[in-house]
Amino acid sequence: MINGVTEDLFDYAKLATVGPEVVMQAADLLMADFRMLSCQDIKWALNALKGHYAITRKALCEALKKWQESGDPSGKRRRSRTSSERCYIDFHFEHGSLKFDKRMFFLENDRRYCRTYSNLEASLQKELSFYQQKAKEWAEHEDFLLALQVNEDEYKKDGQLIECGCCYGEFAFEKMTQCSDGHLFCKECLVKYAQEAVFGSGKLELSCMEGGCPCSYPVCELEKVLPENILCKYYERQAEEAVAATCADELVRCPFCNFPALLDKDMSLFSCPNPRCRKESCRKCHVQWKQHVGKTCEQVLERDEIRMRVLFEERMTAARVRKCVKCGTGLVKSEGCNRMSCRCGSFMCYLCREPITGYNHFCQHARSPGAPCRHCRKCSLWTDPTVRPCVATVFLSYLFCRCSPLGRSQETFFSSLALITNLVTEAQNHWQINAATGSKAVNELEQFQNLHKSTTAGKERVIRQTQKKDEY
């Protein structure tokens, strides 16, 4: 809250258009703030930004600052009297797909007279106070950065820079953070470590990066150093683990997005609270609730079509999940490299699922991203985790369809075979685009194609047998 102002007056999407009296007063204030700009240009910018003083002044100040930084070191330029050589600023404002751009030329002489007001409109007074407080915060932050730079120069001059225990760079004390035992690291290393730990391995505690140190980082240090998104994710993981430990029987995960929530043990309908999902499913069989209403889980799964789809989706999920070779914890890769770390301290390859220690397991040859290596068959260190693992998924799904008791009717057999045929085509197309996932996937694809050929031959035999029965 800034002087009673709770909303962000720099957020263009949340601003409403103001009345003409407020616009007029805001224009006069801006003309006093920017005496070198014409009235027409100031009014244009003000109208483009819905008549709001604070956001318009911020945009004009940013344009003026860019002009100063691109000129003389002193930030001053001499104004020529020739119109073709007049100085100008490039006004630019962007919000999503909305853009405002205009070249604004300086006046030959600064504006001398500006209208003043003894009483401003309440909304305009609120914006003026908001901007003044923000300007004060910006100035304090710049002074803080300048002080840090001066300190660092003095530390460097006196040879008192401190070495980071992770990257071994030298930094001033103000740029360092420490664990509970006093081991010092630069703030940038802690941010990278926390990002990898929270979004990658999902660690409950951020232990010290010094080998053998059992201590963690105090909450006060984390709150000072970590960005808001990483800190929120860290707290979310802690809360999730605490709930899972105390309410294991009531913790349910959405089968579509894996979002966790608490559900009473006696309830079967699970409504996902994730705003991006909101799907309803059965707690036990994970089928969408609209297909489950009025039926038991056994009745729902008796239908071959739904059973196939449910198990196919389970295999789709299983193809993305990796289980730790040491503790069995499920790991899902959302970003980063294929060297996956578990909270228990073990490492494994995301592609072949083998336990590893360093990076020698991966291909070290230079090549274009996503292209196969021509020199070795090692796993790639970097692959896109959003690409659907078609080969392994289709192969598992095919085995399910082939081994299931689908011979009850020809219609079921043929519909299942049509599904598999489409998946084979998809897998082949995917393989042509993403051909660098290791020899294991190559063997799976070859086996899959051979099994598909035999099944196609089986379909032809069924057709011939049917034709012979019809002849008799």
Side-chain angles (χ1 to χ4, degrees):
M1 180 181 292
I2 300 177
N3 291 342
V5 180
T6 56
E7 66 269 27
D8 183 6
L9 297 179
F10 292 151
D11 190 347
Y12 179 85
K14 297 181 180 179
L15 298 178
T17 304
V18 298
E21 183 66 26
V22 177
V23 174
M24 183 179 67
Q25 291 186 359
D28 290 332
L29 290 180
L30 290 170
M31 289 178 197
D33 296 330
F34 303 95
R35 294 174 179 264
M36 75 293 293
L37 298 178
S38 69
C39 300
Q40 291 79 6
D41 287 340
I42 290 177
K43 289 180 179 179
W44 176 87
L46 186 62
N47 290 326
L49 300 180
K50 301 180 182 180
H52 285 270
Y53 170 82
I55 191 173
T56 305
R57 183 173 177 181
K58 180 175 182 285
L60 289 171
C61 284
E62 289 176 349
L64 188 62
K65 185 177 181 181
K66 288 182 180 179
W67 172 77
Q68 291 173 338
E69 292 174 348
S70 63
D72 297 332
S74 62
K76 298 180 180 179
R77 289 183 178 180
R78 197 177 68 183
R79 301 181 190 175
S80 173
R81 293 185 178 273
T82 307
S83 60
S84 60
E85 298 178 0
R86 289 168 58 192
C87 293
Y88 58 84
I89 62 173
D90 287 321
F91 178 90
H92 175 76
F93 179 83
E94 184 173 350
H95 179 80
S97 60
L98 184 68
K99 291 183 180 180
F100 295 115
D101 293 286
K102 185 177 177 64
R103 178 158 290 180
M104 299 180 177
F105 287 92
F106 287 159
L107 298 173
E108 292 185 4
N109 297 301
D110 289 348
R111 189 180 300 103
R112 293 186 178 182
Y113 304 103
C114 299
R115 187 183 305 174
T116 59
Y117 297 89
S118 58
N119 294 315
L120 296 173
E121 293 287 333
S123 61
L124 182 57
Q125 183 62 52
K126 183 173 68 172
E127 292 205 32
L128 180 60
S129 301
F130 175 83
Y131 184 87
Q132 290 173 345
Q133 180 63 30
K134 282 292 185 180
K136 182 180 178 181
E137 293 176 2
W138 296 333
E140 291 175 352
H141 182 65
E142 289 183 359
D143 291 342
F144 174 72
L145 294 180
L146 179 61
L148 284 181
Q149 186 61 46
V150 172
N151 285 343
E152 186 170 355
D153 293 340
E154 291 181 356
Y155 284 136
K156 188 174 182 180
K157 182 179 178 180
D158 299 338
Q160 296 181 355
L161 292 177
I162 303 173
E163 184 181 73
C164 171
C166 180
C167 66
Y168 302 106
E170 294 185 334
F171 302 89
F173 178 77
E174 289 78 8
K175 292 187 177 181
M176 305 293 285
T177 185
Q178 61 184 357
C179 72
S180 302
D181 202 28
H183 295 120
L184 293 170
F185 305 91
C186 70
K187 295 181 179 180
E188 185 177 353
C189 283
L190 178 59
V191 171
K192 292 181 179 179
Y193 168 63
Q195 183 176 8
E196 175 63 26
V198 172
F199 290 98
S201 57
K203 292 187 177 181
L204 261 182
E205 290 190 6
L206 296 175
S207 56
C208 178
M209 291 181 280
E210 181 75 21
C213 177
C215 299
S216 58
Y217 294 91
V219 176
C220 59
E221 288 290 319
L222 297 179
E223 291 179 346
K224 287 192 300 183
V225 176
L226 299 184
E228 184 177 358
N229 64 324
I230 298 179
L231 190 63
C232 290
K233 189 65 176 179
Y234 173 68
Y235 287 149
E236 179 185 327
R237 287 291 178 93
Q238 282 193 321
E240 182 179 326
E241 291 293 335
V243 170
T246 57
C247 309
D249 295 337
E250 299 178 359
L251 184 65
V252 181
R253 292 184 178 274
C254 176
F256 304 100
C257 68
N258 205 40
F259 193 88
L262 292 177
L263 183 66
D264 192 273
K265 292 184 290 185
D266 299 329
M267 294 185 64
S268 299
L269 171 60
F270 174 73
S271 298
C272 180
N274 185 357
R276 299 181 179 179
C277 180
R278 298 291 188 188
K279 292 183 179 179
E280 295 183 338
S281 59
C282 174
R283 176 182 191 159
K284 182 179 178 181
C285 64
H286 299 160
V287 174
Q288 272 195 296
W289 192 254
K290 62 182 180 181
Q291 301 171 350
H292 200 291
V293 178
K295 300 177 182 177
T296 64
C297 295
E298 290 74 15
Q299 290 173 335
V300 172
L301 295 178
E302 280 181 359
R303 298 172 55 188
D304 289 330
E305 180 183 355
I306 295 181
R307 186 195 300 120
M308 182 183 300
R309 183 168 65 252
V310 170
L311 292 181
F312 179 75
E313 291 174 353
E314 289 179 354
R315 283 161 174 75
M316 285 283 293
T317 303
R320 298 180 64 90
V321 176
R322 303 293 185 266
K323 287 198 173 184
C324 174
V325 294
K326 185 177 180 180
C327 66
T329 302
L331 306 174
V332 178
K333 174 186 170 185
S334 58
E335 59 182 357
C337 68
N338 290 321
R339 182 176 179 262
M340 301 190 71
S341 60
C342 179
R343 65 187 64 179
C344 69
S346 63
F347 297 89
M348 64 181 295
C349 174
Y350 176 77
L351 296 177
C352 67
R353 313 188 188 198
E354 294 294 327
I356 59 176
T357 52
Y359 289 90
N360 293 330
H361 173 83
F362 300 99
C363 173
Q364 305 294 324
H365 298 106
R367 63 182 189 279
S368 301
C373 180
R374 299 180 179 179
H375 306 287
C376 69
R377 302 292 293 180
K378 290 185 177 180
C379 297
S380 298
L381 180 61
W382 298 95
T383 54
D384 187 357
T386 61
V387 174
R388 181 179 169 183
C390 288
V391 175
T393 303
V394 172
F395 181 56
L396 290 171
S397 302
Y398 174 80
L399 291 179
F400 159 71
C401 294
R402 186 171 183 269
C403 299
S404 300
L406 298 178
R408 303 179 198 167
S409 64
Q410 295 178 21
E411 292 79 7
T412 305
F413 179 82
F414 291 151
S415 62
S416 304
L417 186 61
L419 171 64
I420 295 304
T421 304
N422 294 334
L423 293 175
V424 171
T425 305
E426 180 184 352
Q428 291 171 337
N429 294 337
H430 171 81
W431 186 253
Q432 293 173 359
I433 300 172
N434 304 278
T437 55
S439 58
K440 183 177 180 180
V442 177
N443 297 332
E444 286 183 352
L445 181 61
E446 292 175 352
Q447 296 176 35
F448 181 68
Q449 290 172 333
N450 293 333
L451 289 170
H452 177 252
K453 291 178 182 178
S454 63
T455 306
T456 305
K459 174 184 176 182
E460 294 175 354
R461 286 196 300 273
V462 172
I463 294 175
R464 287 196 298 269
Q465 293 175 1
T466 304
Q467 291 175 346
K468 290 180 179 179
K469 291 180 180 179
D470 292 340
E471 292 176 358
Y472 291 112

